[in-house]
Amino acid sequence: MKVFNSMSGKKEDFVPIEKDKVGIYACGVTVYDYSHIGHARSAVVFDVIRRYLNYKGLAVKYVRNFTDIDDKIIKRANDDGIAWDEVSRKYIAEYYTDMDRLGVARADVEPKATDHIQEMLNVIKALVDMGHAYVSEGSVYFAVDSFRDYGKLSGKEQKDLLAGARVNIEEKKRNPSDFALWKASKEGEPWWESPWGKGRPGWHIECTAMAIRHLGESIDIHGGGADLIFPHHENEIAQSEAFTGKPFARYWVHNGFITIDKEKMSKSLGNFFTIREILEKYDPEIIRLFLLSSHYRSPIEFSNEQLHDAESSLDRYYSTVARINEFLSAVQATAQRTPKNDDAVMGELKAVLDTFKNRFEEAMDDDFNTALAIGHVFELIRVTNKFLDAKHSGGDAQKLIGQAQEALHIAGSVLNLFQRTPAKWNIDLLATRKIPLTSIDIEQKIEDRKAARQNKDWTLADSIRKELEEMGILLEDGKSGTGWKVKIV
RNA sequence: GGCGACGUACCCAAGUGGCAAGGGGGAGGUCUGCAAAACCUUUAUCCAGCGGUUCGAAUCCGCUCGUCGCCUCCA
C-alpha cells in the first residue's frame, strides 16, 4: 500500500510502526460555528482511510480532536452572550448531527483540548526546562530557533518567512516566528492555573499533548486539511519532537480544498456553504459520493452542477440494484428454465467480476484512490446492466448476479456508500425534494393506472403517469409490475 | 518576493513509460401500448504550448503560458 507523505512529497510504502496496528491522528475542527463542506471533505476522507485500513485487517486507533477553547470561541461566546463552553458544547453537537448524516463514523477517541490541560502543561514545562520555550509576561512561547528542523514539513525557511513580512510582530516574542504554547489570560477570559499564572493553551500544543496521550510519542498517520501544514503541523512537529526526541508522525496526509469559483472556500472569504445548507437540497449520500469522486489531494470545485452529476450517478447505481433484485426474485421463480450460458456478455461480466476485488483494492492501495475505485464500481454496474439486458436465466446467471451484488457490497461498505435499498433511496429523495406524496400515495396511483391499463384505457393511464411526472415521479413498467422512482432533473 | 500544486473531451474525473477508466450531458438507434430505465453506436488519433530524453511519453526533463494554494485564523 502506498501513501503520499507531505513530508517527502512522494508516495511511500505504508509500513506502520507496529505490525498490523495503525494510529491515526486527524486534526478536527474548532467548534465555534456550523461545519461547512470543507470540514465535511476532511472528515469523509479520513473516515474512508480509516475504514479501508480496517478492511485490510489492521487494528486502527483513530483519534480526532475538538478544539474547544480558542479566540474564536471566546469571541462567539461574547457575541452571543453565552458561556464559552456553552458555545463549544453546542457546536460539537451540531458537528455530530452533520457528520452522522454524511455517514462519518465516530473516531475511537475524540479528545477535547480542555480535558487535557494538565498534559499540555507537562509538555510546556518540559520544553521550558529544555530551553525550547521561554516565558514572557505570563505567556510561554516556543523558540523556533531552538529546533533545527523547523520548516521541514512545509519547506519554509526562516528567511522566507521574514521576507513575507506577514508574521505577527509581537513585542513579547523573541522571534516573530515563535508561537504561543500558553497564553496569559486577559480580563474576562477563561483561564486555568499554571506555573506562569492564569492562562489558556495555545492552539498547537493541544494536538501534541493529545496525540501523545492517546497514541504515543510517534504516530503512524497524522492528517488534516492542507491549510494546516503551515503553521499548525509545522509547529506541532517542532514542539513534539523537541519534547520527545522522536519523529512525531511517519506519514503526513493532507486533503485538498474545496473551491468556489476557483477560490478556496473559507470562513474569512465568506464563500462557504454549510453542510446543512447543502443537505436542504441534496441527499447526504450525494455529497459523500461527490467528495469521494475526486482524489483526496486534488482541489474540488463545488457547484450545484457537480452535485447534480453525483445525484445522477447515484440514481444509476440504485436503478441497477433494483434491476438486480428484480432479476434475482424472478430467477427463483423460474429457476428450472434452461440457461443460455456462456456467450460474450456472460464472459464479460465474469471477467469484470473476477478482477473486481483486486482492482478495487489496487486503487485504494494506491494512496486511497477512491475516484478510481468508484470508477470500477460503475464499470461493474455497466456490465451488470448489459448482462441483465441479455435476459439470461437459471442457476449460473443467478450465481453471477449474486457475485455482482456481493462485489458491490464490499466496495460500498469500505466507502460507506450505496448502503440503502433502491426503495429507500427513492423514498428519501421524496423528502429531500419536498414532494408532497408518500410511497403509499404513489402505490395507490399505480393501482389506479393498472386498472386503466387492463381496460386499455390508455388516455387515463397516461394522464396518471403525467400527473405523477409533473410532481417529479417517474413510473416504470416492468415485467413484474410497475415501479416508481423520483425523477432526476 | 519565497515555497508548492495543478492544466486530460461539452462538464466532472482516473490514468506517473507501451493501443486515453468511469460518471454527467449531447446526437442517432434497439426495447416499450405510450414512457422510463437499460443497452448499442457516436462525442479526445489525443492529454495547455514549445523543445528534449526514449524503440516508445498524457506520463520523465527543460522552458513558456494559464489557474490555484500556503507564507495570517482556516478542513
Side-chain angles (χ1 to χ4, degrees):
Chain A
M1 187 162 64
K2 289 196 184 297
V3 175
F4 184 90
N5 190 348
S6 305
M7 184 66 83
S8 63
K10 291 184 185 119
K11 281 184 200 169
E12 299 176 8
D13 282 321
F14 182 71
V15 184
I17 296 166
E18 221 179 311
K19 196 172 182 294
D20 300 330
K21 284 189 178 175
V22 187
I24 307 178
Y25 187 97
C27 289
V29 290
T30 301
V31 278
Y32 71 103
D33 204 349
Y34 294 110
S35 299
H36 61 61
I37 181 78
H39 300 119
R41 182 178 195 188
S42 195
V44 166
V45 162
F46 285 97
D47 185 60
V48 169
I49 289 176
R50 182 256 202 116
R51 284 173 196 270
Y52 185 63
L53 294 173
N54 263 143
Y55 165 86
K56 294 278 279 188
L58 294 149
V60 180
K61 184 170 181 184
Y62 175 38
V63 179
R64 184 186 57 207
N65 71 298
F66 284 112
T67 299
D68 64 342
I69 180 67
D70 125 295
D71 290 349
K72 291 181 298 261
I73 294 172
I74 294 170
K75 181 176 186 303
R76 187 62 182 238
N78 291 150
D79 289 352
D80 294 359
I82 55 177
W84 65 271
D85 52 343
E86 210 174 312
V87 171
S88 61
R89 263 200 308 275
K90 172 179 159 69
Y91 289 107
I92 286 172
E94 302 291 6
Y95 180 85
Y96 283 137
T97 303
D98 291 337
M99 295 307 165
D100 287 350
R101 292 199 66 192
L102 292 175
V104 175
R106 303 296 164 99
D108 297 303
V109 185
E110 304 194 329
K112 298 185 194 75
T114 57
D115 289 338
H116 296 75
I117 301 289
Q118 194 53 51
E119 284 89 340
M120 292 189 237
L121 288 173
N122 292 154
V123 176
I124 299 170
K125 273 185 264 183
L127 288 172
V128 172
D129 290 346
M130 294 163 99
H132 284 296
Y134 57 91
V135 182
S136 174
E137 297 176 32
S139 293
V140 184
Y141 295 95
F142 186 89
V144 162
D145 290 343
S146 76
F147 185 71
R148 196 187 314 125
D149 286 342
Y150 194 79
K152 68 177 171 181
L153 177 67
S154 56
K156 295 189 191 308
E157 312 247 348
Q158 278 296 300
K159 55 180 169 55
D160 300 333
L161 290 173
L162 295 176
R166 295 172 79 178
V167 185
N168 278 349
I169 308 284
E170 278 182 44
E171 298 291 312
K172 295 193 283 185
K173 293 192 208 172
R174 288 183 196 161
N175 180 323
S177 295
D178 291 350
F179 55 91
L181 296 168
W182 188 259
K183 295 176 169 181
S185 69
K186 295 186 201 109
E187 192 57 38
E189 284 182 353
W191 53 268
W192 286 261
E193 280 300 348
S194 84
W196 316 285
K198 293 174 179 177
R200 58 190 170 93
W203 174 32
H204 317 295
I205 193 65
E206 67 176 79
C207 291
T208 291
M210 296 191 287
I212 291 174
R213 159 77 189 278
H214 297 288
L215 293 168
E217 296 187 337
S218 287
I219 58 189
D220 293 299
I221 296 177
H222 191 129
D227 49 0
L228 296 181
I229 292 173
F230 191 90
H232 185 53
H233 288 161
E234 197 68 72
N235 291 353
E236 277 187 46
I237 289 171
Q239 66 200 184
S240 302
E241 298 190 356
F243 175 62
T244 66
K246 295 174 189 164
F248 186 42
R250 269 184 115 118
Y251 302 91
W252 288 89
V253 173
H254 294 99
N255 63 272
F257 301 123
I258 294 188
T259 59
I260 301 236
D261 293 330
K262 296 231 168 182
E263 243 184 341
K264 178 188 167 185
M265 180 185 293
S266 77
K267 289 275 177 153
S268 41
L269 286 168
N271 61 342
F272 61 90
F273 290 93
T274 61
I275 295 167
R276 58 194 57 196
E277 266 177 300
I278 300 163
L279 251 17
E280 276 293 306
K281 284 176 66 187
Y282 296 96
D283 186 278
E285 191 177 358
I286 294 169
I287 300 177
R288 196 170 167 105
L289 178 61
F290 160 68
L291 293 173
L292 294 174
S293 292
S294 301
H295 186 87
Y296 76 88
R297 280 186 285 116
S298 316
I300 36 184
E301 170 76 8
F302 179 87
S303 68
N304 282 311
E305 194 192 355
Q306 294 258 60
L307 288 175
H308 174 263
D309 286 357
E311 186 171 46
S312 299
S313 304
L314 207 46
D315 192 60
R316 175 174 166 79
Y317 182 92
Y318 281 117
S319 296
T320 304
V321 173
R323 294 188 74 196
I324 288 174
N325 295 154
E326 193 182 1
F327 176 82
L328 288 177
S329 50
V331 164
Q332 271 156 13
T334 61
Q336 298 312 310
R337 272 168 52 186
T338 310
K340 49 171 193 180
N341 287 338
D342 281 317
D343 61 5
V345 176
M346 189 176 246
E348 190 180 3
L349 178 57
K350 270 184 182 156
V352 170
L353 279 172
D354 281 348
T355 55
F356 180 81
K357 189 160 175 273
N358 248 338
R359 285 180 300 138
F360 178 78
E361 289 180 10
E362 251 171 34
M364 293 300 287
D365 278 347
D366 185 14
D367 196 28
F368 311 108
N369 193 339
T370 54
L372 182 57
I374 290 169
H376 294 328
V377 167
F378 279 95
E379 189 193 16
L380 177 55
I381 289 291
R382 197 192 79 238
V383 295
T384 299
N385 272 316
K386 195 169 173 178
F387 179 80
L388 258 16
D389 271 7
K391 300 204 192 318
H392 287 264
S393 65
D396 286 358
Q398 188 179 8
K399 198 173 147 219
L400 270 183
I401 290 299
Q403 281 172 16
Q405 207 175 30
E406 175 65 17
L408 293 172
H409 174 76
I410 291 171
S413 58
V414 170
L415 301 169
N416 199 19
L417 285 171
F418 318 130
Q419 298 299 299
R420 281 175 281 182
T421 61
K424 186 74 166 61
W425 159 249
N426 279 295
I427 288 169
D428 288 345
L429 270 183
L430 236 36
T432 315
R433 293 291 179 77
K434 301 181 172 60
I435 294 172
L437 288 173
T438 64
S439 55
I440 296 168
D441 296 336
I442 300 169
E443 294 300 339
Q444 184 54 53
K445 296 279 182 196
I446 289 174
E447 283 307 308
D448 296 348
R449 179 164 165 277
K450 187 178 173 188
R453 291 179 78 207
Q454 274 161 358
N455 296 331
K456 304 240 186 270
D457 185 350
W458 305 125
T459 316
L460 179 58
D462 286 352
S463 78
I464 292 171
R465 178 199 288 292
K466 199 167 172 228
E467 180 197 342
L468 285 173
E469 188 170 348
E470 278 165 2
M471 298 185 76
I473 306 296
L474 281 179
L475 297 186
E476 297 186 340
D477 296 326
K479 263 209 175 106
S480 53
T482 299
W484 64 272
K485 56 190 282 185
V486 174
K487 191 176 176 183
I488 305 296
V489 190

